[in-house]
Amino acid sequence: MTDPSAALAELKAAIGPDGWTDDVARIAPHLTEWRGTWQGETPIMLTPGSTEQVAAAVRVCARHGLAITPQGGNTGLVGGQIPQGEVLLSLKRMRAVRAVLPLEDVMVVEAGLTLLEAQQVAADAERMFPLSLAAEGSATVGGVISTNAGGTAVLRYGVTRDLVLGLEAVLADGSVFHGLKRLRKDNTGYDLKQLLIGAEGTLGIVTAAALKLFPVMRSRATAMVGVETVEAALNLLATARAETGGGVEAFELMNRQGLELVLTHIPDTREPLDSRPPWTVLIELVSGEPGAAERAMERLLETALEGGLIVDAAVAQTKSQAAQFWRLREDMSAAQKAAGGGWKHDISLPLSEIPDFIAATDAALQSAFPGIRQVTFGHLGDGNLHYNVVPPAGDDPAAFAARRDAGARIVHDAVAARAGSISAEHGLGVLKTDEARRYKDPVQVAAMRAVRQALDPQRILNPRVLF
């Protein structure tokens, strides 16, 4: 690598005076992950305002061998967005809406637009962009594409890669990948955009995307339902699918311990069900026909009660009540942070394996770490669980964090034994990259390394992440 000071000077000149800062105070918020697990450092933060500026900056970095850590909204949970001496490249200024095409059910937006803003752009066009997650007010389009985020509506609409028609991205040599197509069918070779989706910024820096839009649903019904077992929840899911013909948009599972932490640590929350069941499911049904979702929910709950699948239920009567139900689910992570943090496991499993996994792994963890509080919640409909472990009340958080690797080994071994994945929607980042090598098929690892070597032979894009 050439003289770092000369390289940085060239970088500043290439991107222009509005596109960089080395002010410590301005950079500081971008160097800390929200849970405080990672603290980073960087000599400079780049804030390009256009794809051309991103490309110019990457060309300079490639020429001088400067590594780059791309960052979206800094909502990641596995540390992939926090630089450790690399150049930090934030896409936060690239927020333009390039096109909204209601007749095509497509919008083209830049990577720095937040997920919530993207949803509003769609709503303004009387359409819906269905990707929704707790951090949507901060998470950016580029960030969710780079991690292939899932969210709460995967059951009906799929994960991020199912919602992307085309991408624009800057590759490791500074060239621009012009893949911003709006086509639903294009059978002319490799679908290269799919390599960039979920690559965590290692193959290219996403600058814009063409995203699918959907009709606005004319009716929506939300309910909190109590069940005795995870098996009952899975049977309820199967019943809901059969009864509604595809009308299930969300099916979120929460254990009692998780709800207790929310009720204890999050202000203005209330118990959703008087029976306080061991497991609670948040169900949301939708329909394009006015009133149809409400009628479908009533039929579903009647069928489930008669069949003994559920023990209690509460149906939201207003949008405000529905929002209160969703808050109980979305504030699970915040409640755990207030309770002392913990070990986060973002896993996925075949649906039929989930009950046995929870029972066996709960017991194994309690045996190894007596007194822990297990918080299990997540997107049961698509097999994605946030299987988290909170320290016993009064335990030293630092000492508990030091035992995380031993606990993760128990969890991830159990996941692998059941043909699951140790990362469902958060990515691998720096937290799980080494762990993934233990479980990933060697042939797959070799293929991914070959792709990366072809696109980024210097390994300057997010060098500490992935294989």
Side-chain angles (χ1 to χ4, degrees), residues 39-57:
Q39 180 67 43
E41 58 178 322
T42 184
I44 189 170
M45 181 172 74
L46 306 182
T47 55
S50 67
T51 301
E52 292 73 22
Q53 288 186 345
V54 176

Side-chain angles (χ1 to χ4, degrees), residues 56-112:
V58 174
R59 283 194 294 270
V60 172
C61 289
R63 188 158 53 248
H64 291 282
L66 290 176
I68 304 167
T69 295
Q71 187 179 98
N74 194 19
T75 60
L77 297 174
V78 290
Q81 78 279 19
I82 303 297
Q84 298 296 333
E86 302 91 11
V87 170
L88 176 60
L89 193 150
S90 169
L91 279 296
K92 65 180 183 179
R93 287 181 59 214
M94 294 189 60
R95 300 161 52 79
V97 177
R98 298 189 185 177
V100 181
L101 303 153
L103 289 179
E104 295 183 18
D105 282 330
V106 176
M107 65 179 177
V108 182
V109 301
E110 291 187 339

